[in-house]
Amino acid sequence: MKRVIAAAFSLLIVFSATILVFAKGTTTKVVITSAELQSPIEISDPEVLKNFNVWSGPGTFSNDVEGNEGFIIDWASGVVTECPNGLRKFELSFYVRYANRPFGEQTDQLAYIVSYAMDPATGQGYVYLPGKADEPYRLNTKAIYRGREGNWFRATAAWQSAFRKVVLG
């Protein structure tokens, strides 16, 4: 009986690890919402989105090495201790198609939500990774736990440029 339980437990661990490894997929769109926008704005151009993969940066691993670049955050700048006042605020919802699903069943799935704020005076963008008390935290950490949740960071120049083109024209 102990062998059966041990075998079942081992199978469950292997199956769970396989799901985690193959759960990654591609970012298919980013939906930008804000009280100041008349309607949501959607970015769905694959050429633009390839630079903003949810599964890149801290909390991701390749060959046992943690990622330190990617997504829309300038990770090297570290945590922003104080954001300026008077920022324009937006919510960014990242949708993906999970690679572990049959092609015919692949649909856009909401995978990650962050807050984005932009200083209108300087154009500097800031990204907030929701913390435990924030509603998107559970969704986000289901996709990826970065260990940096609940903090503001500077946005990458690439994201700031893409955002300006789409939102500010």
Side-chain angles (χ1 to χ4, degrees):
M1 183 64 169
K2 287 182 181 179
R3 286 185 181 174
V4 172
I5 292 172
F9 184 68
S10 296
L11 187 59
L12 179 64
I13 288 173
V14 169
F15 180 70
S16 297
T18 303
I19 287 174
L20 289 174
V21 169
F22 292 107
K24 296 178 181 180
T26 58
T27 301
T28 55
K29 69 179 171 182
V30 177
V31 177
I32 303 166
T33 57
S34 172
E36 67 181 73
L37 296 175
Q38 289 184 355
S39 60
I41 296 173
E42 185 175 301
I43 301 174
S44 57
D45 181 348
E47 280 302 305
V48 174
L49 294 174
K50 72 180 180 183
N51 299 315
F52 310 120
N53 188 330
V54 171
W55 290 287
S56 58
T60 65
F61 292 85
S62 178
N63 298 324
D64 294 326
V65 176
E66 185 172 23
N68 59 9
E69 293 182 2
F71 189 45
I72 65 170
I73 294 174
D74 178 0
W75 300 105
S77 294
V79 172
V80 173
T81 54
E82 283 190 44
C83 280
N85 292 323
L87 301 178
R88 296 176 68 189
K89 296 190 178 181
F90 303 86
E91 182 176 271
L92 310 178
S93 299
F94 290 79
Y95 289 79
V96 301
R97 288 201 178 163
Y98 289 101
N100 67 339
R101 304 219 172 107
F103 184 76
E105 296 175 15
Q106 291 183 5
T107 59
D108 294 344
Q109 302 289 318
L110 178 61
Y112 212 78
I113 299 171
V114 298
S115 295
Y116 181 70
M118 187 187 71
D119 186 331
T122 66
Q124 176 63 56
Y126 300 90
V127 181
Y128 177 73
L129 293 180
K132 287 183 180 181
D134 301 307
E135 188 174 328
Y137 176 83
R138 186 174 218 160
L139 171 75
N140 290 359
T141 56
K142 202 165 145 184
I144 180 171
Y145 177 72
R146 298 183 186 280
R148 290 153 175 83
E149 287 76 9
N151 292 297
W152 283 96
F153 299 87
R154 282 183 168 65
T156 62
W159 173 254
Q160 291 175 84
S161 176
F163 181 85
R164 279 192 296 272
K165 286 178 187 171
V166 173
V167 176
L168 305 177

